[in-house]
Amino acid sequence: MMERRDNIQSTLQVTPVTKPSLMLSDQVRSVLAAARNTAAVDQRIVQVSVPVAALDPVQWLREQDADIKIFWEARDDQFFTAALGEADQLIAQGNDAFPVLKAQVNERLEEAQEGVRYYGGIRFDQAGTPEWPVAGNFCFVLPRFELQGHDGQFFLCCNLIPGEDMHREEELLAALAGIQFSTHKLRGEVPLPIARHDSPNESGWRGMIQEALKMIRNGHPLEKVVLARKVEFSFTEAFDKFLLFKLLREATPNCFHFYFQVQDAYVFLGAPPERLYRRNGRAIFSEAVAGTGMRDDINAKDIELGHRLLLSDKDQHEHAFVRRSIEQVFRAICTDITMDKAPSLMNLNIGRHLRSKFHGMLRPSISDVDILQALPPTSAVGGHPKKEAMETIRQLESFDRGWYAGPIGWMSNEAAEFAVAIRSGLATDRKLALYSGAGIVEGSKPVDEWQEIEQKIGDFIKALGLDQRRAKY
């Protein structure tokens, strides 16, 4: 388990305070008073926190009055944050986005208090068209307030940049006083959609797959490409995005969960199973996830389907590209590399994948931004070779992927974790666009790849109250 600044808090039961906003206000006043009494401008980020009683974090976030709302939940280490507001934001666009991000991260996090995290995402394709509603090639937010959960204990946190915030005391204290702590349960129903639009439709999909297979077979350098579909549902009325997210979260155990509302009325949300990487100090962990199979409620049949996936030449072939692409990056940025000798099964509620795990020690000069520039997109969401796969995606797909299939997660000075933003959707007032893709290699069949994507969006379909057979209109 990743070490954190709250290791002592995690091992000792901390008694929740009865007036968390009032207690946290006292800490905020103390930090800002110290900043005003210091001659030098203090740009070091400070996080103050108090223990609180357990809450439904999604319901808590829904009740708050803030333009920016973020939820992040790790797949397997009992950490979540429900965050609101903005203490700082990193954003840039253009060809020099990564150097800008690296400079900003170095400046902000180098002397930040341990545990301070920036949450955000990066576009799948840095050269893509700027149609995605979240502006810039990347966006990372240092939230103003966070409800954090660590191993079953809850903390209300406030992030401060004393040198910038020392003149905002009244504003910050008013925001703290306005935080709600209701014990109401989030209930209700997501309305049924009235229409569905597929981009591309089944005929267009067959054409895309056939075109990709023609390249793979006819001496083109392309060996694998992951092609995506967008499935857009329309509603007659506005729907509760937090309720949709809660239903999705309940339907997808053993997955990452994210909810990013960082611009206007757009919400990017998802439940990806795949970790891009996790860093703990200089140790880095990643995984190749590719090759998809079905599951069954009957145990004997489920075991048989798992064996079938492990023995599938087509899926092993697809998986091998991802293993090689991650291994190649690890050899460039790491020492002491270990990796699984063969893929194992990654079982989910709906479906399963082949997975191979990687571990290494980062070379001294390598930063999180270097990793984010080198590792994605892996062959699991792009293809192989990377350059030719990206060119093919730009040529054949009719929509901008935006953050879909890009890195999404958080980074701090001492640690970081990013998922691959698949199994995701973009929600607006009366529309929900779902994104999912399938790896195309020699042996792929358009009808099978169509059905694979239908399976992958099944978690959202379930959250919408629809089953697979009722998903078309």
Side-chain angles (χ1 to χ4, degrees), residues 81-99:
T81 189
L84 58 138
E86 172 192 320
D88 190 29
Q89 185 174 128
L90 312 180
I91 190 166
Q93 56 189 359
N95 296 331
D96 61 346
F98 276 112

Side-chain angles (χ1 to χ4, degrees), residues 330-356:
F330 263 52
R331 295 203 180 281
I333 66 174
C334 294
T335 60
D336 303 323
I337 300 166
T338 60
M339 57 185 287
D340 289 345
K341 293 181 179 179
S344 58
L345 293 176
M346 180 184 192
N347 293 323
L348 306 172
N349 260 21
I350 300 179
R352 53 166 47 99
H353 302 289
L354 297 176
R355 175 172 64 181
S356 298

Side-chain angles (χ1 to χ4, degrees), residues 43 120 202 276 315 330 408 435 457:
Q43 297 294 341
E202 290 190 63
L276 178 65
D315 288 289
F330 263 52
I408 193 161
Y435 300 84
I457 66 172

Side-chain angles (χ1 to χ4, degrees), residues 201-258:
N201 59 22
E202 290 190 63
S203 174
W205 178 253
R206 286 195 299 272
M208 284 175 61
I209 304 302
Q210 289 164 358
E211 186 66 26
L213 289 172
K214 192 183 301 181
M215 295 180 188
I216 291 170
R217 292 167 180 162
N218 292 347
H220 193 282
L222 185 69
E223 296 183 75
K224 173 188 175 180
V225 62
V226 179
L227 295 177
R229 288 169 40 208
K230 179 171 75 169
V231 181
E232 187 172 74
F233 292 95
S234 299
F235 303 80
T236 57
E237 58 187 292
F239 60 95
D240 190 332
K241 301 175 187 66
F242 282 104
L243 179 58
L244 173 66
F245 180 63
K246 179 178 180 179
L247 294 169
L248 176 66
R249 186 175 173 230
E250 292 173 350
T252 54
N254 304 317
C255 289
F256 295 94
H257 298 108
F258 66 81

Side-chain angles (χ1 to χ4, degrees), residues 49 66 96 130 236 240 264 292 295 312 318 369 411:
S49 65
D96 61 346
T236 57
D240 190 332
D264 300 330
T292 303
R295 300 210 63 185
S312 167
E318 180 183 344
V369 178
M411 54 182 149

